[in-house]
């Protein structure tokens, strides 16, 4: 049997919780995975040693991992990863990395996997309007959607090997431009509250922002809102031609649920819809639907959530 | 004179209803269009040509029906249109190997593509081709400037990064603030007359095979409430039932 290898997802210099989900996904393919942690400081990798089910942790130490360069990361990881099937998270950056590592090894890549059954993998296609199941014949690189597989429990203890590696950086960062807002980006957040044209005016997004700040959410928007109001930037857009998100909780406010919007958020674990139109298509996808204007519902939501957080 | 290639793909109209018949999607009744992000790639390729000189070739892979997206690209202003003749499904390894061989044959120096195709949503082709060519790549770029070299803006943790990209490279394009140009009458007339350069490439067998398409599992009916006061109950359920707060 060939190895399964998990590439740890790193966020803000630490191992992101989705790495434990990748270990579960790797176990579904068979065996106990090796977890490779791309890092500049090997101590980052220690946290992976407690993920139950990991057979071994490799701290892949290199200056290359200081910031993302597709060519540099792929070559540095390829240099130390054994042959076998490699799993990454399905964030935009990790999907990019998955594609490059696969190409480097002349094997195929399967992106956005949401189910694993033996050698069969299922991913959404046509923006989630259908599912596609493929069968693997040999090693591959697989990116796995977050919030789909259960996280492997902690409490394990496996060895951490520190391996120095190096890669060929192809691009050079001139400058980093921090986001004007301290709030999370929709692509990074586990809770998202989004507004549509039903918000009436971009000024009313402050009510969404207040709730976002209460529960640590990102603020998103529908395409209609982005196209209508210049004050709502494209970076907030969820859906086709915007960002595809997969949070634990998605709260849609004043969003009717156009097919392009559903494409970007329908796989969210829980969906709350607030809309004054009881016939809005978004309600067919909502776990909790509230037929009300945002003016009625948001103050109540804000007050209740603030009380729960206090 | 830069040899610029832009990859375009024909996909079902993103507004179309997708139907599964038997164990495969049935796209026979669906209108086909250029994948939306590819439109941004075409725009950036044309801006590159305008900034530095050079020629733009639109390249696709598909059957004769895919000539339509090449003609659309021609109408907007690309110089040449090329189709790798292929029907059927290919895994990323087979597909990229075939496209990479044509990129070499065409003498490509810079390749633009959409950040992902609207059908698979994978986004693997751009970075995969770059790796096979031994080139730099940046994905999901939202702005491109030509100031001697190529400078792009792409998302980075906590914001954006401005990145210098050496040539040769593959750059995959997001929407950003890009406005795409529309074809004019002259362009449409030229596109009608334009000949597609059809290439036959031996495509290696795939090791990843499609087993089935299915409709997404139906979501069980949710709980519905009338009136804004219900938001308090929903907030409690999010904490106590869904455990997401």
């Amino acid at each position: 049997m060939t190895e399964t290898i998990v590439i740890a997802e790193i966020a803000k210099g630490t191992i992101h919780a989705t790495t434990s989900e990748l270990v579960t996904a790797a176990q579904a393919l068979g065996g106990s995975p090796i977890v490779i942690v791309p890092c500049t400081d090997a101590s980052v990798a220690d946290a992976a040693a407690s993920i139950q089910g990991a057979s071994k942790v490799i701290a892949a130490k290199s200056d290359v991992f200081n910031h993302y360069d597709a060519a540099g990361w792929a070559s540095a990881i390829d240099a130390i990863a054994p042959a076998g099937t490699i799993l990454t998270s399905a964030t935009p950056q990790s999907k990019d990395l998955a594609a490059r590592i696969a190409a480097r090894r002349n094997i195929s890549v399967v992106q956005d996997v949401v189910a694993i059954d033996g050698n069969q993998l299922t991913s959404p296609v046509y923006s989630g309007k259908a599912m596609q199941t493929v069968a693997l014949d040999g090693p591959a690189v697989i990116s796995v959607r977050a919030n789909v597989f259960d996280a492997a429990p902690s409490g394990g203890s496996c060895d951490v090997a520190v391996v120095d590696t190096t890669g060929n950086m192809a691009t050079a960062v001139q400058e980093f431009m921090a986001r004007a807002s301290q709030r999370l980006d929709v692509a990074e957040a586990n809770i998202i509250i989004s507004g549509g044209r039903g918000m009436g005016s971009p000024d009313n997004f402050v009510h969404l922002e207040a709730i976002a700040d209460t529960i640590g959410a990102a603020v998103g928007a529908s395409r209609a809102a982005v196209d209508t109001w210049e004050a709502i930037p494209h970076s907030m857009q969820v859906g086709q031609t915007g960002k595809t998100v997969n949070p634990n909780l998605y709260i849609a406010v004043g969003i009717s649920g156009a097919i392009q919007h559903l494409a970007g958020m329908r796989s969210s674990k829980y969906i709350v819809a607030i809309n004054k139109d009881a016939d809005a298509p978004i309600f067919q996808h909502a776990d909790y639907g509230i037929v009300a204007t945002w003016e009625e519902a948001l103050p109540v939501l804000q007050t209740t959530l603030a009380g729960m957080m206090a | 004179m830069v040899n610029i290639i832009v990859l375009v793909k024909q996909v079902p109209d993103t507004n179309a209803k997708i139907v599964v018949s038997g164990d495969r999607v049935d796209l026979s009744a669906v209108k086909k269009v250029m994948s939306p992000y590819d439109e941004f790639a075409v725009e950036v390729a044309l801006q590159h040509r305008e900034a530095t000189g050079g020629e733009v070739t639109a390249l696709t892979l598909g059957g004769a029906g895919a000539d339509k997206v090449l003609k659309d690209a021609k109408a907007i202003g690309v110089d040449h249109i090329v189709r790798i003749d292929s029907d059927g499904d290919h895994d990323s390894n087979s597909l990229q190997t075939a496209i990479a061989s044509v990129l070499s044959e065409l003498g490509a120096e810079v390749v633009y593509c959409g950040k992902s195709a609207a059908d698979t949503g994978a986004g693997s082709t751009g970075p995969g081709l770059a790796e096979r060519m031994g080139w730099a790549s940046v994905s999901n770029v939202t702005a491109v400037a030509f100031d001697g070299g190529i400078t792009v803006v792409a998302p980075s943790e906590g914001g954006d990064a401005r990145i210098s990209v050496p040539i040769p490279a593959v750059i995959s394009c997001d929407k950003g603030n890009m406005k795409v140009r529309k074809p004019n009458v002259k362009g449409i007339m030229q596109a009608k007359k334009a000949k597609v350069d059809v290439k036959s490439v031996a495509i290696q067998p795939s090791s990843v095979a499609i087993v089935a398409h299915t409709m997404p599992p139906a979501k069980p009916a949710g709980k519905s409430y009338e009136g804004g006061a219900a938001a308090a109950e929903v907030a409690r359920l999010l904490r106590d039932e869904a455990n997401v707060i």
Side-chain angles (χ1 to χ4, degrees), chain B residues 106-128:
Chain B
L106 295 173
E109 294 172 280
V110 180
V111 174
Y112 293 100
C113 59
K115 74 167 184 175
S116 63
D119 50 0
T120 66
S124 303
T125 304

Side-chain angles (χ1 to χ4, degrees), chain A residues 81-93:
Chain A
T85 289
I86 297 176
L87 295 89
T88 72
S89 164
T91 58
Q93 178 180 307

Side-chain angles (χ1 to χ4, degrees), chain A residues 12 96 100 104 106 108-109 111 126 129 131-133 135 137 170 172 174-175 177 241 260 287-289 291, chain B residues 14-16 37 92-93 119 124 131 135 137 139 157 160 162 164 207 209 211-214 223 225 227 241:
Chain A
K12 298 199 181 80
D96 185 59
R100 273 204 86 127
R104 193 172 179 86
N106 281 308
S108 267
V109 58
Q111 304 277 19
Y126 305 104
K129 288 186 254 181
M131 308 301 285
Q132 175 168 286
T133 300
D137 177 17
Q174 292 176 354
E175 61 169 328
M177 296 167 287
T241 69
Q260 291 94 340
D287 299 277
Y288 305 102
V291 181
Chain B
T14 55
N15 284 312
Y37 292 111
S92 68
N93 193 29
D119 50 0
S124 303
E131 185 64 44
W135 294 0
S137 66
S139 294
E157 193 174 17
D160 288 312
R162 193 184 307 281
S164 308
S207 68
V211 175
H213 289 128
T214 50
K223 295 180 174 159
Y225 302 88
E241 186 177 82

